[in-house]
Amino acid sequence: MSALVVHGIGALCTCDPSLGEAPGVVRDAALVARDGVIVYAGPESELERSDIPRGALEIHARGAAVLPGFVDAHTHIVWLGDRGDEYAQRAAGVSYEEIAASGGGIRATVRATAAGSVEELATAGRERARRMLAGGTTTVEVKSGYGLDHDAEMRQLDAADRLRRWEDLPDAVVTYLALHALPDGPRDAYVDDVCSRGVADAAKRASFVDAFCDAGAYTVAECERLFTAARGHGLRPKIHAEQRSRSGGALLAAQAGAVSADHLEHATNTDLEALSSAGVVGVILPGASLVLGGPPPPGRRLLEAGCRVAVATDCNPGTCYSESMPLMISLAVALGGLTPAQALVAGTSGGAAALGLADRGVLRRGFRCDAVILKTPSWVDVAYHLGGDIVASVILDGRLAVPSKT
Ligand code: NIG
Ligand code: FE
């Protein structure tokens, strides 16, 4: 039995929609967990001493705000190599597409990553996942997509799976990003391979399948074929859609019943309404929007269309080298037009929805106890303090995984 109680919470941001206006704040609260599950989340004055399990670790938030752990629902953290030189080239005026067309971009990361062993890949992913946990992320989705070859993709998935077995890391959810960069050889043969042994072998390692549907990447027809093949093996679809141009990927996501459609900068309001009607979560990746330029992340437009919204880092070596969910929540407000409350919900329960996880993202009895204790009493700081060092400690599955340094 493990148990923990957090006393003295100035503002408990439950992100529980049943508590009224987001983010469902309870003042002067306490949080109690037993074996990783929340057994009490409410006013400290109503907490009975008998509600606290015997032997519980008792910690004090000293009036600080407490939030659900962040759910980062879109990342590419298993990569090797370094593309800092490309970042500098882009700053000097070379476009992402020009770099990709000359063999750089995703293909550069593929050359370094496909050569790596599972051990090397897992070690690289672990370092990034550790930084994520320190920043308050308690669940992270991890994609493959830098293999461009069956065996190399499976090694990436095995490395992502290894992250799940290490206790000191965010809980990992694995996605087979089957169609990402274009192959050197005939693309039909590559898509055939992915749609046969790719999905069959990935289904033993991953929960979701994903595809990059865009000009210079894969077509709607190729992605649709992948989703049909993947569904036969129990992999649920996700899609990179309307990122660099309007590709039709969002409409495919709606029609295919994808769990999420991600990026969406070039999506029309009709696309977003289709996502809303189909119950597809819209995932905005404002770090990538910022780095690449172009239209802003459509946070407010998604909400206006009636869509569920998530915000994630897209942590990757090309378009957003950042592990920080607080920074993405800030950018969802500054660039995406969300309020701080909407952005916080998007980074917690929204992320959980984008991963089909109903057991987290909300601080309510019966949910997984993943929580962040801030250094300050004001929960708005999560959005307001741009790039700030705001996290004091992190509770992961009911354990104090990142203790306060002060
Ligand atoms: O989500 N859009 C495609 N994939 C990544 C970028 C990957 C890379 O540049 O290495 C993204 O932005
Ligand atoms: Fe991505």
Side-chain angles (χ1 to χ4, degrees), residues 36-113:
V37 176
I38 296 171
V39 293
Y40 183 83
E44 179 126 46
S45 58
E46 291 170 26
L47 176 69
E48 305 284 336
R49 196 68 218 174
S50 59
D51 293 336
I52 301 177
R54 195 181 303 247
L57 174 67
E58 303 207 29
I59 57 180
H60 209 284
R62 296 193 197 97
V66 170
L67 324 173
F70 304 120
V71 179
D72 189 347
H74 182 138
T75 87
H76 308 250
I77 57 171
V78 175
W79 85 78
L80 298 176
D82 182 295
R83 277 157 62 197
D85 52 346
E86 268 183 23
Y87 188 79
Q89 276 181 297
R90 290 215 306 277
V94 188
S95 74
Y96 185 72
E97 283 79 4
E98 283 164 339
I99 289 170
S102 61
I106 299 172
R107 297 293 302 271
T109 298
V110 167
R111 283 192 292 280
T113 304

Coordinates of all heavy atoms in Angstrom, one line a residue, residues 36-113:
G36 N -2.1 5.0 -5.7 CA -2.1 5.6 -7.0 C -3.4 6.3 -7.4 O -3.5 7.0 -8.5
V37 N -4.5 6.1 -6.6 CA -5.8 6.6 -7.0 C -6.2 7.6 -6.0 O -6.0 7.5 -4.8 CB -6.8 5.4 -7.0 CG1 -8.2 5.9 -7.3 CG2 -6.4 4.4 -8.1
I38 N -6.9 8.7 -6.5 CA -7.4 9.8 -5.6 C -8.5 9.2 -4.8 O -9.5 8.7 -5.3 CB -7.8 11.0 -6.5 CG1 -6.6 11.6 -7.2 CG2 -8.5 12.0 -5.6 CD1 -7.0 12.6 -8.2
V39 N -8.4 9.4 -3.5 CA -9.5 9.0 -2.6 C -10.2 10.2 -2.0 O -11.3 10.1 -1.5 CB -9.1 8.0 -1.5 CG1 -8.7 6.7 -2.1 CG2 -7.9 8.6 -0.6
Y40 N -9.5 11.4 -2.1 CA -10.2 12.6 -1.6 C -9.6 13.8 -2.4 O -8.3 13.9 -2.5 CB -10.0 12.9 -0.1 CG -10.7 14.1 0.4 CD1 -12.1 14.1 0.7 CD2 -10.1 15.3 0.5 CE1 -12.8 15.2 1.1 CE2 -10.7 16.5 0.9 CZ -12.1 16.4 1.2 OH -12.8 17.5 1.5
A41 N -10.4 14.7 -2.9 CA -9.9 15.9 -3.5 C -11.0 17.0 -3.2 O -12.1 17.0 -3.8 CB -9.8 15.8 -5.0
G42 N -10.8 17.8 -2.2 CA -11.8 18.8 -1.8 C -11.3 19.7 -0.7 O -10.1 19.7 -0.4
P43 N -12.3 20.4 -0.1 CA -11.9 21.3 1.0 C -11.2 20.6 2.1 O -11.7 19.5 2.6 CB -13.2 21.9 1.5 CG -14.2 21.6 0.4 CD -13.7 20.4 -0.3
E44 N -10.1 21.2 2.6 CA -9.4 20.6 3.7 C -10.3 20.5 5.0 O -10.2 19.6 5.7 CB -8.1 21.4 4.0 CG -7.3 20.9 5.1 CD -5.8 20.6 4.8 OE1 -5.2 21.5 4.1 OE2 -5.3 19.6 5.1
S45 N -11.2 21.5 5.1 CA -12.0 21.5 6.3 C -13.0 20.3 6.4 O -13.4 20.0 7.5 CB -12.8 22.8 6.3 OG -13.6 22.9 5.1
E46 N -13.2 19.7 5.2 CA -14.1 18.6 5.3 C -13.4 17.2 5.3 O -14.0 16.2 5.2 CB -15.1 18.6 4.0 CG -16.0 19.8 4.1 CD -16.8 20.1 2.8 OE1 -17.0 19.1 2.0 OE2 -17.2 21.2 2.6
L47 N -12.1 17.3 5.3 CA -11.3 16.1 5.3 C -11.2 15.5 6.8 O -10.8 16.2 7.7 CB -9.9 16.4 4.8 CG -8.9 15.2 4.8 CD1 -9.3 14.1 3.8 CD2 -7.5 15.7 4.6
E48 N -11.7 14.3 7.0 CA -11.6 13.7 8.3 C -10.3 13.0 8.5 O -9.7 12.5 7.5 CB -12.7 12.6 8.4 CG -14.1 13.0 8.1 CD -14.8 13.8 9.2 OE1 -14.3 13.6 10.4 OE2 -15.7 14.5 8.9
R49 N -9.8 13.1 9.7 CA -8.5 12.4 10.0 C -8.6 10.9 9.5 O -7.6 10.3 9.0 CB -8.2 12.5 11.5 CG -6.7 12.3 11.9 CD -5.8 13.3 11.4 NE -4.5 12.7 11.0 CZ -3.5 13.3 10.4 NH1 -3.5 14.6 10.2 NH2 -2.4 12.6 10.1
S50 N -9.7 10.3 9.7 CA -9.9 8.9 9.3 C -9.9 8.7 7.8 O -9.8 7.5 7.3 CB -11.2 8.4 9.9 OG -12.3 9.1 9.4
D51 N -10.0 9.8 7.0 CA -9.9 9.6 5.5 C -8.4 9.5 5.1 O -8.1 9.2 3.9 CB -10.4 10.9 4.8 CG -11.9 11.1 5.0 OD1 -12.6 10.1 5.2 OD2 -12.4 12.2 4.9
I52 N -7.5 9.8 6.0 CA -6.1 9.7 5.6 C -5.5 8.3 6.0 O -5.6 7.9 7.1 CB -5.2 10.7 6.4 CG1 -5.8 12.1 6.1 CG2 -3.8 10.6 6.1 CD1 -5.1 13.3 6.8
P53 N -5.1 7.6 4.9 CA -4.6 6.2 5.2 C -3.4 6.2 6.2 O -2.6 7.1 6.1 CB -4.2 5.7 3.8 CG -4.8 6.6 2.8 CD -5.0 7.9 3.5
R54 N -3.4 5.2 7.0 CA -2.3 5.1 8.0 C -1.0 4.9 7.3 O -0.9 4.2 6.3 CB -2.6 3.8 8.9 CG -1.7 3.8 10.1 CD -2.0 2.5 10.9 NE -3.5 2.5 11.2 CZ -4.0 2.5 12.4 NH1 -3.2 2.7 13.4 NH2 -5.3 2.4 12.6
G55 N 0.0 5.7 7.7 CA 1.3 5.6 7.1 C 1.5 6.4 5.8 O 2.5 6.3 5.1
A56 N 0.5 7.3 5.5 CA 0.6 8.1 4.3 C 1.7 9.1 4.5 O 1.9 9.6 5.6 CB -0.8 8.8 4.1
L57 N 2.4 9.4 3.3 CA 3.4 10.4 3.3 C 2.6 11.8 3.3 O 1.7 12.0 2.5 CB 4.2 10.3 2.0 CG 5.2 11.5 1.8 CD1 6.3 11.5 2.8 CD2 5.8 11.4 0.4
E58 N 2.8 12.6 4.3 CA 2.1 13.9 4.4 C 3.0 15.0 3.9 O 4.0 15.2 4.5 CB 1.6 14.1 5.8 CG 0.7 12.9 6.3 CD -0.3 13.2 7.4 OE1 -0.8 14.4 7.4 OE2 -0.6 12.4 8.2
I59 N 2.5 15.7 2.9 CA 3.3 16.9 2.5 C 2.4 18.1 2.5 O 1.2 18.0 2.5 CB 3.9 16.7 1.1 CG1 2.9 16.4 0.0 CG2 5.0 15.6 1.1 CD1 3.4 16.2 -1.4
H60 N 3.0 19.3 2.5 CA 2.3 20.6 2.7 C 2.6 21.5 1.5 O 3.7 21.7 1.1 CB 2.7 21.3 4.0 CG 1.6 22.1 4.5 ND1 1.3 23.3 4.0 CD2 0.8 21.9 5.6 CE1 0.3 23.8 4.7 NE2 -0.1 22.9 5.6
A61 N 1.5 21.9 0.8 CA 1.7 22.8 -0.4 C 1.9 24.2 0.0 O 2.2 25.1 -0.9 CB 0.5 22.7 -1.3
R62 N 1.8 24.6 1.3 CA 2.0 26.0 1.8 C 1.3 27.0 1.0 O 1.8 28.0 0.6 CB 3.5 26.3 1.8 CG 4.4 25.4 2.7 CD 5.8 26.0 2.9 NE 6.7 25.1 3.4 CZ 7.5 24.3 2.6 NH1 7.5 24.5 1.3 NH2 8.3 23.5 3.2
G63 N 0.0 26.7 0.7 CA -0.8 27.7 0.0 C -0.7 27.8 -1.5 O -1.3 28.6 -2.2
A64 N 0.2 26.9 -2.1 CA 0.4 26.9 -3.5 C -0.8 26.3 -4.3 O -1.6 25.6 -3.7 CB 1.7 26.2 -3.9
A65 N -0.8 26.6 -5.6 CA -1.8 26.0 -6.4 C -1.4 24.5 -6.8 O -0.2 24.3 -6.9 CB -2.0 26.8 -7.7
V66 N -2.3 23.7 -7.0 CA -2.1 22.3 -7.4 C -2.9 22.0 -8.6 O -4.1 22.3 -8.7 CB -2.4 21.3 -6.3 CG1 -2.4 19.8 -6.8 CG2 -1.4 21.5 -5.1
L67 N -2.3 21.4 -9.7 CA -3.0 21.1 -10.9 C -2.9 19.6 -11.2 O -2.0 19.0 -10.7 CB -2.3 21.8 -12.1 CG -1.6 23.2 -11.9 CD1 -0.8 23.6 -13.1 CD2 -2.7 24.2 -11.6
P68 N -3.8 19.1 -12.1 CA -3.5 17.8 -12.6 C -2.2 17.7 -13.3 O -1.7 18.7 -13.9 CB -4.7 17.5 -13.6 CG -5.7 18.6 -13.3 CD -4.9 19.8 -12.8
G69 N -1.5 16.6 -13.3 CA -0.3 16.4 -14.1 C -0.6 16.6 -15.6 O -1.7 16.3 -16.0
F70 N 0.3 17.2 -16.3 CA 0.1 17.5 -17.7 C 0.1 16.2 -18.5 O 0.9 15.3 -18.3 CB 1.1 18.4 -18.3 CG 1.2 19.7 -17.5 CD1 2.4 20.1 -16.8 CD2 0.1 20.5 -17.3 CE1 2.5 21.2 -16.1 CE2 0.2 21.7 -16.5 CZ 1.3 22.0 -15.9
V71 N -0.8 16.1 -19.5 CA -0.8 15.0 -20.4 C -0.4 15.5 -21.8 O -1.1 16.3 -22.5 CB -2.3 14.4 -20.5 CG1 -2.3 13.2 -21.5 CG2 -2.7 14.0 -19.1
D72 N 0.9 15.1 -22.2 CA 1.4 15.6 -23.4 C 1.1 14.6 -24.5 O 1.7 13.5 -24.6 CB 3.0 15.8 -23.2 CG 3.6 16.5 -24.4 OD1 3.0 16.6 -25.5 OD2 4.8 16.9 -24.3
A73 N 0.1 14.9 -25.3 CA -0.5 13.8 -26.2 C 0.1 13.8 -27.6 O -0.5 13.1 -28.4 CB -2.0 14.1 -26.3
H74 N 1.2 14.4 -27.8 CA 1.8 14.4 -29.1 C 3.3 14.7 -29.0 O 3.7 15.8 -28.9 CB 1.1 15.4 -30.1 CG 1.6 15.4 -31.5 ND1 0.8 15.5 -32.6 CD2 2.9 15.3 -32.0 CE1 1.5 15.5 -33.7 NE2 2.8 15.4 -33.4
T75 N 4.2 13.6 -29.1 CA 5.6 13.9 -29.1 C 6.3 12.9 -29.9 O 5.8 11.8 -30.3 CB 6.2 13.7 -27.6 OG1 6.6 12.4 -27.4 CG2 5.3 14.3 -26.5
H76 N 7.6 13.2 -30.3 CA 8.5 12.4 -31.1 C 9.8 12.3 -30.3 O 10.8 12.6 -30.9 CB 8.7 13.0 -32.5 CG 7.5 13.4 -33.3 ND1 7.1 12.8 -34.4 CD2 6.6 14.4 -33.1 CE1 6.1 13.4 -34.9 NE2 5.7 14.4 -34.2
I77 N 9.8 11.9 -29.1 CA 11.0 12.0 -28.3 C 12.1 11.0 -28.5 O 13.2 11.1 -27.9 CB 10.7 12.1 -26.7 CG1 9.9 10.9 -26.2 CG2 10.0 13.4 -26.4 CD1 9.8 10.9 -24.7
V78 N 11.8 9.9 -29.2 CA 12.8 8.9 -29.4 C 13.5 9.2 -30.7 O 13.1 8.7 -31.8 CB 12.1 7.5 -29.5 CG1 13.1 6.4 -29.8 CG2 11.5 7.1 -28.1
W79 N 14.5 10.0 -30.6 CA 15.3 10.3 -31.8 C 16.8 10.4 -31.5 O 17.2 10.7 -30.3 CB 14.9 11.6 -32.5 CG 15.4 12.9 -32.0 CD1 16.7 13.4 -32.3 CD2 14.8 13.8 -31.1 NE1 16.9 14.6 -31.6 CE2 15.7 14.9 -30.9 CE3 13.6 13.9 -30.5 CZ2 15.4 16.0 -30.1 CZ3 13.3 15.0 -29.7 CH2 14.2 16.1 -29.5
L80 N 17.7 10.2 -32.5 CA 19.1 10.4 -32.3 C 19.5 11.5 -33.3 O 18.8 11.8 -34.3 CB 19.9 9.1 -32.6 CG 19.6 7.9 -31.6 CD1 20.3 6.6 -32.1 CD2 19.9 8.3 -30.2
G81 N 20.7 12.0 -33.2 CA 21.2 13.0 -34.1 C 20.9 14.4 -33.6 O 20.3 14.6 -32.5
D82 N 21.2 15.4 -34.4 CA 21.1 16.8 -34.0 C 20.8 17.6 -35.2 O 21.5 17.5 -36.2 CB 22.4 17.2 -33.3 CG 22.4 18.6 -32.8 OD1 22.3 19.6 -33.6 OD2 22.5 18.8 -31.6
R83 N 19.8 18.5 -35.1 CA 19.5 19.3 -36.3 C 19.6 20.8 -35.9 O 18.9 21.6 -36.5 CB 18.2 18.9 -36.9 CG 18.3 17.7 -37.8 CD 16.9 17.0 -37.9 NE 15.9 17.8 -38.5 CZ 14.6 17.4 -38.4 NH1 14.2 16.3 -37.8 NH2 13.7 18.2 -39.0
G84 N 20.5 21.1 -35.0 CA 20.7 22.5 -34.6 C 21.2 23.4 -35.8 O 20.8 24.5 -36.0
D85 N 22.0 22.7 -36.7 CA 22.4 23.5 -37.9 C 21.3 23.9 -38.8 O 21.2 25.0 -39.3 CB 23.5 22.6 -38.7 CG 23.0 21.3 -39.0 OD1 21.9 20.8 -38.4 OD2 23.5 20.6 -39.9
E86 N 20.3 23.0 -38.9 CA 19.1 23.3 -39.7 C 18.3 24.5 -39.1 O 17.7 25.3 -39.8 CB 18.1 22.1 -39.7 CG 18.3 21.2 -40.8 CD 17.3 20.1 -40.8 OE1 16.2 20.3 -40.2 OE2 17.5 19.0 -41.3
Y87 N 18.2 24.4 -37.8 CA 17.5 25.5 -37.1 C 18.1 26.8 -37.5 O 17.4 27.8 -37.8 CB 17.5 25.2 -35.6 CG 16.6 26.1 -34.8 CD1 15.2 25.9 -34.8 CD2 17.1 27.2 -34.1 CE1 14.4 26.7 -34.0 CE2 16.3 28.0 -33.4 CZ 14.9 27.8 -33.4 OH 14.1 28.6 -32.6
A88 N 19.4 26.9 -37.4 CA 20.2 28.1 -37.8 C 19.9 28.5 -39.3 O 19.7 29.6 -39.6 CB 21.6 27.9 -37.5
Q89 N 19.9 27.5 -40.1 CA 19.7 27.7 -41.6 C 18.3 28.3 -41.8 O 18.1 29.3 -42.6 CB 19.7 26.4 -42.4 CG 21.0 26.0 -42.8 CD 20.9 24.7 -43.6 OE1 20.4 23.7 -43.1 NE2 21.2 24.7 -44.9
R90 N 17.3 27.8 -41.0 CA 15.9 28.3 -41.2 C 15.9 29.7 -40.7 O 15.2 30.6 -41.3 CB 15.0 27.4 -40.4 CG 14.8 26.1 -41.1 CD 13.3 25.5 -41.0 NE 12.8 25.5 -39.6 CZ 13.1 24.5 -38.8 NH1 13.8 23.5 -39.1 NH2 12.6 24.6 -37.6
A91 N 16.6 30.0 -39.6 CA 16.6 31.4 -39.1 C 17.2 32.3 -40.1 O 16.9 33.5 -40.2 CB 17.4 31.5 -37.8
A92 N 18.1 31.8 -41.0 CA 18.8 32.6 -42.0 C 17.9 32.7 -43.3 O 18.4 33.2 -44.3 CB 20.2 32.1 -42.3
G93 N 16.8 32.0 -43.3 CA 15.8 32.2 -44.5 C 15.6 31.0 -45.3 O 14.7 31.0 -46.2
V94 N 16.2 29.8 -45.0 CA 15.9 28.6 -45.8 C 14.6 28.0 -45.2 O 14.5 27.9 -44.0 CB 17.1 27.6 -45.7 CG1 16.9 26.5 -46.7 CG2 18.4 28.3 -46.0
S95 N 13.7 27.6 -46.1 CA 12.4 27.1 -45.6 C 12.5 25.6 -45.1 O 13.4 24.9 -45.6 CB 11.3 27.2 -46.6 OG 11.5 26.2 -47.6
Y96 N 11.6 25.2 -44.3 CA 11.5 23.8 -43.8 C 11.4 22.9 -45.0 O 12.0 21.8 -45.1 CB 10.3 23.7 -42.9 CG 10.1 22.3 -42.2 CD1 10.9 21.9 -41.2 CD2 9.0 21.5 -42.6 CE1 10.7 20.7 -40.5 CE2 8.8 20.3 -41.9 CZ 9.6 19.9 -40.9 OH 9.4 18.7 -40.3
E97 N 10.6 23.3 -46.0 CA 10.4 22.4 -47.2 C 11.6 22.3 -48.0 O 12.0 21.3 -48.6 CB 9.2 23.0 -48.1 CG 7.8 22.8 -47.5 CD 7.4 23.7 -46.4 OE1 8.2 24.6 -46.0 OE2 6.3 23.5 -45.8
E98 N 12.4 23.5 -48.2 CA 13.6 23.4 -48.9 C 14.7 22.5 -48.3 O 15.3 21.7 -49.0 CB 14.2 24.9 -49.1 CG 13.5 25.7 -50.1 CD 13.9 27.2 -49.9 OE1 14.3 27.7 -48.8 OE2 13.6 27.9 -50.9
I99 N 14.7 22.6 -47.0 CA 15.7 21.7 -46.3 C 15.3 20.2 -46.5 O 16.1 19.4 -46.7 CB 15.7 22.1 -44.8 CG1 16.4 23.4 -44.6 CG2 16.4 21.0 -43.9 CD1 16.3 24.1 -43.3
A100 N 14.0 20.0 -46.4 CA 13.5 18.6 -46.6 C 13.8 18.1 -48.0 O 14.2 17.0 -48.2 CB 12.0 18.5 -46.3
A101 N 13.6 19.0 -49.0 CA 13.7 18.6 -50.4 C 15.2 18.3 -50.7 O 15.5 17.5 -51.6 CB 13.2 19.7 -51.3
S102 N 16.1 18.8 -49.9 CA 17.5 18.5 -50.1 C 18.1 17.4 -49.2 O 19.3 17.3 -49.0 CB 18.4 19.8 -50.0 OG 18.2 20.3 -48.7
G103 N 17.2 16.6 -48.7 CA 17.6 15.5 -47.9 C 17.7 15.7 -46.4 O 18.1 14.8 -45.7
G104 N 17.5 16.9 -46.0 CA 17.5 17.2 -44.6 C 16.2 17.0 -43.9 O 15.4 16.2 -44.4
G105 N 15.9 17.7 -42.8 CA 14.6 17.6 -42.2 C 14.4 16.2 -41.6 O 15.4 15.7 -41.0
I106 N 13.2 15.7 -41.7 CA 12.9 14.4 -41.1 C 13.9 13.4 -41.5 O 14.3 12.5 -40.8 CB 11.4 14.0 -41.4 CG1 10.5 15.1 -40.8 CG2 11.1 12.7 -40.8 CD1 9.0 14.9 -41.3
R107 N 14.3 13.4 -42.8 CA 15.2 12.4 -43.4 C 16.6 12.5 -42.7 O 17.2 11.4 -42.5 CB 15.4 12.7 -44.9 CG 14.1 12.5 -45.7 CD 13.6 11.1 -45.7 NE 14.7 10.2 -46.2 CZ 14.8 9.9 -47.5 NH1 13.9 10.3 -48.4 NH2 15.8 9.1 -47.9
A108 N 17.0 13.6 -42.2 CA 18.3 13.7 -41.5 C 18.2 13.0 -40.2 O 19.1 12.2 -39.8 CB 18.7 15.2 -41.3
T109 N 17.0 13.1 -39.5 CA 16.8 12.4 -38.2 C 16.7 10.9 -38.5 O 17.2 10.1 -37.7 CB 15.6 13.0 -37.5 OG1 15.9 14.3 -37.2 CG2 15.4 12.2 -36.2
V110 N 16.1 10.6 -39.6 CA 15.9 9.1 -40.0 C 17.3 8.5 -40.1 O 17.6 7.4 -39.6 CB 15.1 8.9 -41.2 CG1 15.2 7.5 -41.8 CG2 13.6 9.3 -41.0
R111 N 18.2 9.2 -40.8 CA 19.6 8.6 -41.0 C 20.2 8.3 -39.6 O 20.8 7.2 -39.4 CB 20.5 9.5 -41.8 CG 20.1 9.5 -43.3 CD 21.2 10.2 -44.1 NE 21.3 11.6 -43.9 CZ 20.4 12.5 -44.4 NH1 19.5 12.1 -45.3 NH2 20.5 13.8 -44.2
A112 N 20.1 9.2 -38.7 CA 20.7 9.0 -37.3 C 20.0 8.0 -36.5 O 20.5 7.1 -35.8 CB 20.8 10.3 -36.6
T113 N 18.6 8.0 -36.6 CA 17.8 7.2 -35.7 C 17.7 5.8 -36.1 O 17.7 4.8 -35.3 CB 16.4 7.9 -35.6 OG1 16.5 9.2 -35.2 CG2 15.5 7.1 -34.6

